[in-house]
């Protein structure tokens, strides 16, 4: 008599809750099928909220905002806040703001607080973690700052620099235990968390 085959388990859908093309590129490195949904979250910091807590709160809020519309899926949310002596440094948006940011950061160490959250509303799964990245900037001249910004125009990046591009030339050192965290999604932590949520990575 033939043995009955065990029913195949269907893997849950995976959803990235982010509008960032950088996070999409990073998650695509895992060769997983996933959807993208843009979270509707107010990113205004709370009064006296430090960058670390802000990043953690927003990552979780983004994941839950998307999971409300995808309750059976495993949802990833992420957020990054540049931290200069406890002050959040956001995306500059304009050339003049980027100049001001880089002038403030030259010769100093900035902590890029990169948070990732994974939730599944159907199972009640929720995890959130932080991958801080310590970035030492060179003591840049005004001409070097201007030359860089005109070449790369990183106005959608927290801290006004793209380390995966020409922005690496602005830096003296990067210290992190999760190499992709500086770009916007810490993949070591993401893999660990989505595995715990039931996603087969390999």
């Amino acid at each position: 008599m033939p043995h009955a085959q065990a029913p195949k388990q269907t893997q849950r859908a995976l959803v990235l809750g982010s509008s960032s093309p950088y996070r999409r590129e990073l998650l695509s490195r895992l060769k997983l099928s996933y959807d993208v949904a843009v979270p509707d979250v107010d990113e205004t910091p709370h009064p006296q909220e430090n960058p670390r807590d802000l990043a953690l709160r927003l990552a979780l809020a983004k994941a839950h905002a998307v999971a409300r519309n995808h309750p059976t899926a495993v949802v990833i949310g992420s957020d990054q806040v540049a931290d200069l002596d406890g002050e959040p440094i956001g995306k500059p948006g304009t050339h003049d703001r980027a100049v001001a940011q880089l002038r403030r950061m030259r010769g100093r160490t900035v902590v890029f607080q990169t948070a990732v959250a994974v939730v599944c509303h159907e199972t009640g799964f929720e995890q959130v973690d932080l991958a801080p990245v310590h970035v030492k900037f060179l003591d840049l001249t005004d001409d070097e700052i201007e030359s860089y910004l005109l070449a790369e125009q990183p106005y959608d990046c927290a801290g006004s620099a793209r380390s995966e591009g020409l922005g690496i030339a602005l830096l003296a050192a990067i210290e992190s235990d999760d190499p992709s965290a500086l770009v916007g999604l810490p993949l070591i932590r993401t893999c660990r968390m989505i595995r715990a949520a039931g996603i087969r990575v390999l």
Side-chain angles (χ1 to χ4, degrees), residues 79-96:
D79 193 77
Q80 183 181 76
V81 182
D83 180 348
L84 181 60
D85 298 333
E87 178 188 342
I89 305 293
K91 298 172 184 176
T94 68
H95 180 84
D96 289 345

Side-chain angles (χ1 to χ4, degrees), residues 105-121:
M105 296 187 299
R106 57 187 168 192
R108 304 178 70 183
T109 295
V110 179
V111 183
F112 286 79
Q113 306 282 11
T114 309
V116 60
V118 173
V119 304
C120 177
H121 279 191

Side-chain angles (χ1 to χ4, degrees), residues 90-99 101 149 154-161:
K91 298 172 184 176
T94 68
H95 180 84
D96 289 345
R97 289 196 187 109
V99 169
Q101 283 189 1
L149 292 176
Y155 308 133
D156 61 344
C157 297
S160 303

Side-chain angles (χ1 to χ4, degrees), residues 20-42:
S20 166
Y22 309 110
R23 292 192 178 104
R24 289 199 296 272
E25 187 277 326
L26 288 169
L27 188 59
S28 294
R29 295 181 190 181
L30 301 183
K31 309 297 185 187
L32 295 171
S33 175
Y34 69 93
D35 295 314
V36 176
V38 178
D40 183 14
V41 171
D42 181 359

